Amino acid sequence: MLSDGRRQVVDFYLAGETFGFEVSRTHSFFAEAMVATSTRTHCLADNTGTQPELLGLALHGMLRAQEHILVIGRQTAMERVAGFLLDMSDRQGGLKHFDLPMSRLDIADYLGLTIETVSRVFAKLRASGLIKLRSIRCVEIIEKTALRGLCA
Amino acid sequence: MLSDGRRQVVDFYLAGETFGFEVSRTHSFFAEAMVATSTRTHCLADNTGTQPELLGLALHGMLRAQEHILVIGRQTAMERVAGFLLDMSDRQGGLKHFDLPMSRLDIADYLGLTIETVSRVFAKLRASGLIKLRSIRCVEIIEKTALRGLCA
DNA sequence: CGTGTGCTTGATATCAGTCAATGATTGTGG
DNA sequence: CCACAATCATTGACTGATATCAAGCACACG
């Protein structure tokens, strides 16, 4: 977050995913639970046996972060939202429909947009028949290929 | 890069810094040398002795990437450029003046802006007396505190 | 029911992008 | 050594995508 309240969501984590490793003793980020959640903590200095796994996680996190920099730095609102929906769909098993566990504000802060813009893009996608909004938090992807075409 | 040529520079690396680790066999990024450069390659599977060091580097890279997400997602052009100049200054030893090894296009693609916007912000900073442009690639920071105040 | 929160939609503003012209610097060949 | 071309940077005029401001809607909850 910035001092004046502007917020950036760095990533969303689904069940079973690991997060929160930081080098410095003073942490720069915080996490919020969107749904009922329980966590397991790991200790870095524990035993060296877990280190190789940790390296993979760190590298994966860095990759995701760097890819997200491209999204936020260079893509339009439409491209960001389309890519986000496909990512969420894939990460929940690629089913036809899936739930968004987070609010519009969280999505906006993740994509570097405002809630209004996110809402408008959703509306446009629905109007052009690419998605359906079964409920406010449940999305159904109708035209996956077309949606992919919007991601640049 | 995106298929249509839009480019995002993920980070700049100065002498002595390590870059290029990716998990997947198919790499997503590439590097370009801005100045005369020589590199040393490290092999991941080499020996486990280097692993703890690597973990630190990966975590550091992830931290930097995530902080950059905040910059690109939520800061104005002025804030981005001011922060960039301070970062470059610090990383080159915090001297009064320092060289920018990269072109305006590289800076723009790093900050998620266009060359024109970068140029205009430079002009504005110079006009308000916060920096001097000794040459096109050499910046002198006159009012460091004021510059810091612009970063939000 | 009323209230509150989150979402959508519309009207307008603004920051940064685009397009275009001009300047500065560097390198090349005559 | 100079003219020329090429590249990079600056500056201006205008446009446009997204933000901001504001109103209305819908669902959940007491």
Side-chain angles (χ1 to χ4, degrees):
Chain A
M1 295 201 55
L2 297 172
S3 46
D4 61 0
R6 279 175 288 175
R7 188 181 74 144
Q8 178 66 44
V9 171
V10 164
D11 215 336
F12 295 114
Y13 295 96
L14 304 182
E17 300 180 340
T18 309
F19 65 92
F21 16 68
E22 292 191 37
V23 247
S24 163
R25 200 125 323 203
T26 62
H27 288 220
S28 317
F29 309 104
F30 61 90
E32 273 179 47
M34 313 306 317
V35 298
T37 301
S38 66
T39 57
R40 175 186 303 168
T41 50
H42 297 272
C43 182
L44 251 181
D46 226 7
N47 45 18
T48 46
T50 59
Q51 292 262 345
E53 188 188 333
L54 250 178
L55 180 63
L57 286 170
L59 289 174
H60 182 74
M62 186 164 109
L63 183 71
R64 262 191 79 82
Q66 293 185 338
E67 280 173 347
H68 201 51
I69 288 177
L70 174 60
V71 171
I72 286 183
R74 289 294 175 222
Q75 296 197 159
T76 65
M78 178 60 82
E79 290 166 346
R80 297 183 210 191
V81 172
F84 168 73
L85 289 176
L86 288 169
D87 182 48
M88 287 309 295
S89 167
D90 288 347
R91 286 168 74 188
Q92 302 202 9
L95 300 170
K96 262 216 287 244
H97 64 102
F98 59 92
D99 280 321
L100 297 173
M102 70 292 284
S103 70
R104 297 288 190 269
L105 181 60
D106 293 322
I107 298 174
D109 284 347
Y110 174 64
L111 297 175
L113 301 169
T114 59
I115 32 175
E116 292 95 331
T117 300
V118 171
S119 191
R120 274 185 253 268
V121 173
F122 271 56
K124 194 171 280 185
L125 286 173
R126 200 186 40 192
S128 45
L130 301 195
I131 65 169
K132 253 183 206 157
L133 292 177
R134 292 195 177 187
S135 80
I136 219 150
R137 295 278 185 105
C138 181
V139 179
E140 180 180 343
I141 296 185
I142 308 289
E143 301 282 355
K144 196 158 205 163
T145 315
L147 206 54
R148 246 192 224 106
L150 291 177
C151 295
Chain B
M1 296 200 56
L2 297 173
S3 46
D4 61 359
R6 280 175 288 175
R7 188 181 73 145
Q8 178 66 45
V9 171
V10 164
D11 215 337
F12 296 116
Y13 295 95
L14 305 183
E17 299 181 341
T18 309
F19 65 92
F21 16 68
E22 291 191 37
V23 247
S24 164
R25 199 127 322 206
T26 62
H27 287 221
S28 318
F29 309 104
F30 61 89
E32 273 178 48
M34 315 305 317
V35 299
T37 301
S38 66
T39 56
R40 175 185 303 169
T41 50
H42 297 273
C43 183
L44 251 182
D46 227 7
N47 45 17
T48 47
T50 58
Q51 292 262 345
E53 188 187 334
L54 251 179
L55 180 63
L57 286 170
L59 289 174
H60 182 73
M62 185 162 109
L63 183 72
R64 264 190 78 81
Q66 293 186 339
E67 280 172 347
H68 200 51
I69 288 176
L70 173 60
V71 171
I72 286 182
R74 288 296 175 220
Q75 295 197 160
T76 65
M78 178 60 83
E79 290 165 346
R80 296 183 211 192
V81 172
F84 169 72
L85 289 175
L86 289 169
D87 182 48
M88 287 310 294
S89 167
D90 287 348
R91 286 167 75 188
Q92 302 202 9
L95 300 170
K96 263 216 288 246
H97 64 101
F98 59 92
D99 279 322
L100 297 173
M102 70 292 283
S103 70
R104 296 288 190 270
L105 181 61
D106 293 323
I107 298 174
D109 284 346
Y110 174 63
L111 298 176
L113 301 169
T114 59
I115 31 175
E116 291 95 331
T117 300
V118 171
S119 193
R120 275 184 253 269
V121 173
F122 271 56
K124 194 171 279 183
L125 287 173
R126 201 186 41 191
S128 45
L130 300 196
I131 65 169
K132 252 182 204 159
L133 292 177
R134 292 195 177 185
S135 79
I136 219 151
R137 295 277 185 105
C138 181
V139 179
E140 181 181 343
I141 295 185
I142 308 290
E143 302 281 355
K144 196 160 205 161
T145 316
L147 206 55
R148 246 191 224 105
L150 291 176
C151 296

